[in-house]
């Protein structure tokens, strides 16, 4: 089972570590605490990225729909 630390997830997601920690704190990204570090399983990261991608796609579609309604 592949696992990642916050710094590794930061490199994958191209964001900063505080953002990842906020996702963990808010329960959007599941992680286990190992001492002072968070450990994120591959499956949890995949689920998180899938949900994030869907949310971004839905927001994009909503903007397009609103844009077309104003025409």
């Amino acid at each position: 089972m592949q696992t990642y630390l916050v710094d590794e997830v930061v490199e994958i997601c191209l964001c900063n570590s505080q953002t990842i920690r906020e996702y963990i704190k808010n329960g959007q990204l599941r992680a286990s605490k190992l001492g002072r570090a968070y450990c994120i399983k591959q499956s949890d990261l995949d689920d998180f990225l899938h949900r994030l991608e869907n949310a971004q796609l839905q927001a994009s579609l909503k903007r397009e729909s609103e844009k077309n309604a104003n025409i």
Side-chain angles (χ1 to χ4, degrees), residues 2-56:
Q2 176 71 35
T3 59
Y4 301 96
L5 298 174
V6 169
D7 290 340
E8 294 170 314
V9 174
V10 164
E11 291 179 22
I12 293 168
C13 295
L14 303 175
C15 61
N16 76 35
S17 61
Q18 189 59 37
T19 301
I20 296 301
R21 286 186 180 87
E22 284 295 319
Y23 284 133
I24 293 169
K25 181 180 173 184
N26 294 334
Q28 295 174 288
L29 174 58
R30 287 187 59 189
S32 301
K33 191 94 170 185
L34 296 174
R36 296 181 66 172
Y38 286 108
C39 181
I40 299 108
K41 292 189 302 186
Q42 178 72 52
S43 59
D44 292 329
L45 180 58
D46 290 343
D47 289 343
F48 169 73
L49 292 174
H50 182 71
R51 288 191 314 274
L52 189 63
E53 182 179 45
N54 282 341
Q56 290 174 339

